[in-house]
Every structure is written in structure tokens, then in C-alpha cells.
Amino acid sequence: MKSLWSMFQRKRTASELESTIKANPRNISAWVRLIDARASSGGLTPHAMALVNSHDLHPTGHAVHAFAADIAKKGGPALASLATDPIKNLEPAIEELVKWKTAIQCGDSHDRSKGYFHDAEPYMELQWNQIIFPLIRDLDFTSVLDLACGHGRNSEFLRRQTKSLHLVDINQSCIDACRKRFGDAKDGTRFYYHVTDGNHLKMIPNDSITLVYSWDSMVHFDKLIVRDYLLDIRRVLKPGGTAFLHHSNYGEKAPDSNWATNTGTQSDMSAKIMRDYAAANDLDVVLQKIQGRAEGWGEDGLDCVSILKRRDS
Ligand SMILES: C[S@@+](CC[C@H](N)C(=O)[O-])C[C@H]1O[C@@H](n2cnc3c(N)ncnc32)[C@H](O)[C@@H]1O
């Protein structure tokens, strides 16, 4: 009798929450409570359950509530179309919440952060000379985009190879630091600065970039964010252009996990997922190198560099 009553109550709660979401699709707390109601009645797939648990999409979850206003702003348009049928669309809505929660949290942890940028700068020359440049020296540096540039320690080396360098980051504070460091032009290289919402390169024209470069940033990006970026990377690359992407491989052993609590704050991306995303976007995988202790990281198989090439036709 008691369980019949609680089943009835859960159903009533879910249908009240559906109405609340339909009235305001940007109500993140209502989505989370609906997720909770469906989770407790066994209405979520194992994939959705894994995301809910690893990202703490619970009524008591900290990050999803702390960043709710920003999640609503950035994920609002997608949540609005999913809100036409919140229960049927709950799994894509969970992915939308995860995507924006991770991007916003990662951006937040690097906003005005002096610590990382100050501490990482001295390692750049060694990493560039020993790990990065040997892999990319033959690529076309005519027009380069440094994705998630931080305070520009990679851009400092990229600028010596190109006359045109686009710097993109989710944080205005990072773009400001780079502008202060390089100005509009330096030693014959022209600099262009852009802030992104965290999953796109809308401000960059189609077919305009010969090399998209990202080091020590995408390692934190959830696979859903990387999936979005790949679409735009394909769009902005010139035919035959390449992308050098340093991303996580931690998803191989911890699928659907949370970058913020994983070893080395590595995301749930993997070399295999990158191959799948590349295939879906007509990008050829030219090289993949799994990295670990040989590169000075704490653990083997932790991350990966992938070089992807846009097909000519
Ligand atoms: C660990 S820092 C690395 C910065 C730089 N690549 C370096 O090696 O010094 C990560 C950078 O990614 C940026 N970031 C985080 N999430 C982002 C996203 N979704 N899109 C663009 N930038 C992002 C942060 O603001 C930060 O500048």
C-alpha cells in the first residue's frame, strides 16, 4: 500500500515538474528535481544514470546549482526545445546540463587564476621543444587558432611560426591578459582576440584557418564539449588544414566521468571517441599519440594528442 502511494506521489511530482519546466525551460532546479524523480522510479538509462551520479545532478548537487544562472543562459535555447516533452527528452537534457556545467566550471576555475598560468609558463619551452613541435613542425602555419589560449604561453611559441594568430578562450580575463602580452601585432604577426561561450568558434569565418591548435586545455573538456568544437573546427579549417588537439584519454577507463573529480582533472574524452568524432566530421586522423609518464605526466594513458586533417574535397 505504502509503495503504491509513493509511486502515485512520484508520478504526481514528475507531472508537476513537467508543467514547471514547460512554463520555464531555463529553470535548472526543476530539471534537476525531475531527473531525481525519474531516477528514483528507475526511469533513466544506465548512461543517463552514470552522468547524473558522476556530475552530481541531484537536488543537493553543488556545481549544477552554483552555476545554474550561467547554465540557463548558455543552455537555454537547447533546453527550450527539449522542454516540449521534458520526460521524453530527459537524456539529451541531462547531456545539456552536463555540457554547460563542465564548461562553465572549467572556465570559472581559470578565471583570473594567477596560479596555473604563473606556474605553467616555465614548462612551456621544454614541452614545446620536446613534445609538441616535433609533431607539428611540418604543418601549415599560415593562419593559426590557439583554442583555450589561457594567458598565451603557447601563443608565444606559435607567433614565431605564423603571421596570423587567432586567440580564443572562454574567459575575458584570459583574452585581456593575451592582449596585454601581444597587442594587435608583434614582430610582424597579427593577433585577433575572441571570447567563446565554451563550445563554438562562431566568430571565425568558414575555411579560414590552416591550423587549429590546443594544448593543455581540451584535456579538461567534457566529451560533449569536444563534440561541439569538432563541428566548428571542421567548418573553420581550410581544405587540407589540420587540428592539433591535446585531449583526455581518461574516458577510456572512466566513461561518463566528471573532469573536476578525475585524476589530473582529465575529462571523459578518449582517443577512441576522438576517432569517432573525426569520422563523423569528415576529418582524417593523421596521428594519435597516447601520453603518460614518458611526457612527465603522473600516469600512463592519461591523455592523447590527435592530429586531424580536413579532407580536400
Ligand atoms: C589549463 S588552462 C591552459 C591554457 C593554455 N592552453 C596553456 O597551456 O597555458 C585551460 C584554459 O582553458 C580555458 N577554457 C576552459 N574551458 C573552456 C572552453 N569550454 N572553451 C574555451 N576555453 C576554455 C580556460 O579559461 C583556460 O584559459
Side-chain angles (χ1 to χ4, degrees), residues 2-293:
K2 195 175 166 207
S3 74
L4 257 181
W5 173 248
S6 58
M7 259 173 65
F8 168 74
Q9 281 294 60
R10 275 202 298 263
K11 222 171 158 185
R12 204 175 77 170
T13 309
S15 91
E16 281 168 8
L17 287 166
E18 270 199 288
S19 309
T20 308
I21 289 167
K22 283 182 182 172
N24 178 11
R26 287 170 172 77
N27 185 337
I28 303 303
S29 157
W31 279 105
V32 171
R33 281 180 288 134
L34 179 62
I35 291 165
D36 193 53
R38 296 290 294 162
S40 35
S41 63
L44 297 182
T45 65
H47 165 65
M49 263 329 285
L51 290 180
V52 168
N53 288 330
S54 63
H55 291 277
D56 202 5
L57 300 186
H58 299 293
T60 52
H62 171 69
V64 71
H65 290 103
F67 298 114
D70 249 10
I71 295 171
K73 196 165 145 207
K74 296 189 177 191
L79 291 174
S81 68
L82 296 170
T84 51
D85 190 340
I87 290 188
K88 183 166 151 253
N89 295 328
L90 203 52
E91 187 157 321
I94 289 169
E95 293 194 338
E96 200 61 23
L97 296 184
V98 166
K99 183 164 93 178
W100 290 115
K101 178 189 77 80
T102 61
I104 293 160
Q105 190 175 21
C106 184
D108 183 72
S109 69
H110 292 94
D111 195 12
R112 286 176 280 276
S113 136
K114 296 278 180 299
Y116 167 84
F117 301 114
H118 178 268
D119 296 347
E121 187 84 32
Y123 293 99
M124 195 65 241
E125 186 165 9
L126 189 84
Q127 292 178 353
W128 177 267
N129 288 331
Q130 294 194 356
I131 305 172
I132 302 170
F133 198 57
L135 297 175
I136 65 172
R137 61 179 351 127
D138 295 327
L139 302 181
D140 181 351
F141 286 84
T142 306
S143 173
V144 179
L145 186 154
D146 184 358
L147 175 57
C149 56
H151 286 200
R153 66 182 181 126
N154 293 268
S155 318
E156 182 59 49
F157 287 82
L158 290 167
R159 76 177 177 87
R160 301 171 196 175
Q161 309 294 326
T162 183
K163 297 269 174 267
S164 170
L165 185 51
H166 290 262
L167 305 191
V168 179
D169 202 279
I170 198 170
N171 278 315
Q172 183 67 53
S173 59
C174 292
I175 293 302
D176 291 345
C178 288
R179 197 188 287 278
K180 193 164 165 211
R181 181 169 184 167
F182 303 114
D184 288 337
K186 187 166 185 180
D187 300 334
T189 301
R190 187 84 178 78
F191 291 82
Y192 306 91
Y193 299 99
H194 317 274
V195 175
T196 172
D197 290 320
N199 71 334
H200 68 77
L201 303 169
K202 273 182 199 155
M203 59 306 268
I204 309 289
N206 295 355
D207 309 334
S208 61
I209 302 290
T210 59
L211 172 62
V212 173
Y213 171 103
S214 190
W215 178 258
D216 205 20
S217 289
M218 209 173 245
V219 289
H220 310 303
F221 295 3
D222 191 274
K223 62 177 182 298
L224 299 165
I225 289 287
V226 178
R227 186 178 67 186
D228 284 0
Y229 268 128
L230 259 261
L231 267 175
D232 248 11
I233 287 173
R234 165 68 175 73
R235 180 185 63 75
V236 304
L237 279 178
K238 289 188 179 201
T242 47
F244 170 79
L245 305 175
H246 177 211
H247 58 87
S248 176
N249 187 49
Y250 199 72
E252 187 65 36
K253 79 171 190 199
D256 292 331
S257 56
N258 180 359
W259 75 279
T261 49
N262 282 346
T263 304
T265 54
Q266 299 276 324
S267 81
D268 62 350
M269 257 308 280
S270 71
K272 154 94 177 61
I273 295 171
M274 184 57 96
R275 292 196 292 278
D276 293 344
Y277 287 173
N281 286 289
D282 275 341
L283 293 160
D284 291 321
V285 180
V286 175
L287 172 141
Q288 279 197 313
K289 192 164 184 285
I290 306 277
Q291 302 191 136
R293 279 180 289 186

